[in-house]
């Protein structure tokens, strides 16, 4: 999940060929330190917990049916177990797809919100510090250590409610 945010937020990098005053921010550290992202991740895990428990149970059921099928003595028994297996497998696939959709939608919404927070905070820091640009530290080859505003960015992003 963190890599998705970092990749999506790389757009904060700007060409500074003509910038007089700049600062850098370690976006990876901002993402890792984000209270909002941690809360959203916990919320998502809680949301999908019932479905993940069902998925685990269906997987156990499929293993049990498979073991019974290998031990079955009659063709009728194997056929019934094969139908049971197919039904459970369909339920599992459907449930997995539902969970995947929930996770994807949640990640898109969280990413959109977090991206807006980052951009607003970067702009706020830029204005407060009278800077021309705020750059992603990971996209800069060299910079003055005093130009690093990562800690301020983390504080401000985490202060947004």
């Amino acid at each position: 999940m963190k890599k998705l945010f970092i990749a999506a937020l790389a757009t904060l990098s700007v060409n500074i060929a003509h910038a007089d005053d700049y600062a850098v921010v370690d976006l990876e550290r901002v993402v890792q330190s984000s209270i909002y992202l941690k809360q959203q991740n916990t919320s998502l895990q809680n949301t999908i917990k019932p479905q993940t428990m069902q998925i685990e149970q269906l997987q156990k059921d499929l293993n049990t049916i498979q073991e019974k099928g290998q031990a079955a003595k009659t063709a009728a028994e194997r056929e019934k177990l094969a139908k049971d297996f197919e039904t459970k497998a369909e339920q599992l696939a459907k449930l997995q797809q539902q969970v995947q959709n929930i996770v994807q939608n949640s990640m898109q919404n969280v990413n959109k919100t977090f991206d807006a927070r980052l951009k607003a905070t970067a702009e706020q820091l830029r204005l407060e510090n009278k800077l021309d640009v705020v750059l992603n530290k990971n996209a800069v080859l060299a910079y003055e250590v005093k130009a690093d505003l990562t800690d301020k960015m983390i504080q401000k992003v985490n202060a947004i409610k």
Side-chain angles (χ1 to χ4, degrees):
M1 189 166 166
K2 290 177 185 174
K3 288 182 181 179
L4 174 68
F5 292 117
I6 292 169
L9 301 173
T11 58
L12 288 176
S13 297
V14 178
N15 181 353
I16 62 165
H18 300 289
D20 294 326
D21 293 311
Y22 70 94
V24 295
V25 173
D26 185 343
L27 287 179
E28 187 173 350
R29 243 184 77 215
V30 173
V31 168
Q32 290 171 348
S33 301
S34 171
I35 294 169
Y36 170 76
L37 292 178
K38 289 174 185 172
Q39 290 170 338
Q40 293 305 307
N41 188 42
T42 300
S43 175
L44 176 60
Q45 295 303 318
N46 290 336
T47 298
I48 63 172
K49 189 173 185 172
Q51 291 93 334
T52 55
M53 289 175 62
Q54 281 182 292
I55 287 170
E56 289 172 12
Q57 185 59 52
L58 285 168
Q59 289 170 332
K60 287 177 186 176
D61 292 349
L62 287 171
N63 287 336
T64 301
I65 292 170
Q66 195 171 24
E67 288 170 7
K68 286 181 181 179
Q70 291 171 351
K73 294 183 170 106
T74 67
E77 215 179 334
R78 283 190 293 274
E79 188 176 313
K80 182 189 179 314
L81 289 169
K83 286 181 183 178
D84 290 347
F85 187 90
E86 186 178 324
T87 301
K88 293 271 186 193
E90 287 173 5
Q91 289 175 342
L92 176 62
K94 190 176 184 179
L95 193 54
Q96 287 172 325
Q97 184 62 48
Q98 288 173 353
V99 169
Q100 183 178 355
N101 290 341
I102 291 168
V103 170
Q104 285 176 340
N105 290 335
S106 176
M107 288 177 65
Q108 286 173 350
N109 291 333
V110 168
N111 188 30
K112 183 178 177 181
T113 300
F114 192 69
D115 184 52
R117 287 179 178 197
L118 275 181
K119 287 178 181 177
T121 303
E123 180 62 13
Q124 182 183 9
L125 284 170
R126 188 187 72 77
L127 293 172
E128 286 174 0
N129 292 281
K130 298 179 175 85
L131 302 168
D132 292 326
V133 292
V134 176
L135 301 165
N136 179 353
K137 178 180 173 180
N138 298 323
V140 177
L141 297 176
Y143 62 91
E144 288 285 336
V145 176
K146 67 182 179 184
D148 191 334
L149 295 178
T150 303
D151 291 332
K152 287 183 181 179
M153 180 84 152
I154 290 169
Q155 289 172 352
K156 288 187 178 288
V157 167
N158 284 339
I160 299 173
K161 298 295 174 194

